[in-house]
Amino acid sequence: MPDLSGHVVFCEDIRSELGDQVSYIGVYPRNRGTFEVDDDGDIVLSRFALACYLAMPVEFKGESPSLTITQIDKNKREKQIASEILPEIPDRSEREVVTAMLHFQFQGVLAKPSDIIVVDLSVAGETARIGSFRFAPKKPSAGSSKPDETNP
């Protein structure tokens, strides 16, 4: 079977604009974000968005592709956080691939440092990982430290 492909833009927000334009706000350029860690050891994001661009060969015509977004922790435990089944791939014999675009927007994302978000595209028993994102703790800047509360 031919290869599935795609890519994902990870960002803070996606906005629909006039004239069929889309704006990506706060794009994470290396599929990795560094974030402040709270007192419980968590990373809390008020907003997190994914723009998924898919390319599916026309040989999959009549099949319904699915997209799955999964969060994986450091112990390799997986938690599905979103999925979408798309309409059947149409017969476009004049083309080599059929393309699609999906946007996902989440509010109140909770993650641990080293958690990973992966995006998988599946059609007719074939699966391709089209994107992954790693949460990383922000390193303290040089010379900064928490105040010593025992010695005011």
Side-chain angles (χ1 to χ4, degrees), residues 11 13-17 21-27 103 105:
C11 57
D13 194 16
I14 300 171
R15 298 187 185 156
S16 297
E17 308 288 353
Q21 293 180 331
V22 177
S23 292
Y24 300 126
I25 312 300
V27 173
H103 292 160
Q105 297 195 60

Side-chain angles (χ1 to χ4, degrees), residues 20 24 36 45 55 69 76 80 105 113 116 122-124 133 136:
D20 291 328
Y24 300 126
E36 296 290 335
L45 301 178
I69 302 171
K76 306 289 187 227
Q80 183 177 314
Q105 297 195 60
I116 300 171
S122 300
V123 182
F133 181 87

Side-chain angles (χ1 to χ4, degrees), residues 72-148:
I72 304 172
D73 70 14
K74 68 179 178 181
N75 297 316
K76 306 289 187 227
R77 288 186 298 245
E78 297 185 4
K79 178 176 85 172
Q80 183 177 314
I81 58 174
S83 66
E84 185 76 27
I85 297 174
L86 294 117
E88 289 183 2
I89 296 172
D91 183 2
R92 301 274 171 96
S93 51
E94 73 279 4
R95 301 169 125 185
E96 291 183 23
V97 297
V98 174
T99 58
M101 178 179 66
L102 285 162
H103 292 160
F104 292 87
Q105 297 195 60
F106 302 98
Q107 293 184 348
V109 173
L110 181 68
K112 294 284 187 191
S114 78
D115 278 4
I116 300 171
I117 300 274
V118 296
V119 181
D120 294 324
L121 171 62
S122 300
V123 182
E126 301 286 324
T127 300
R129 178 146 298 157
I130 63 168
S132 65
F133 181 87
R134 180 174 302 277
F135 292 91
K138 186 175 275 188
K139 294 184 170 117
S141 57
S144 72
S145 63
K146 288 188 174 182
D148 184 358

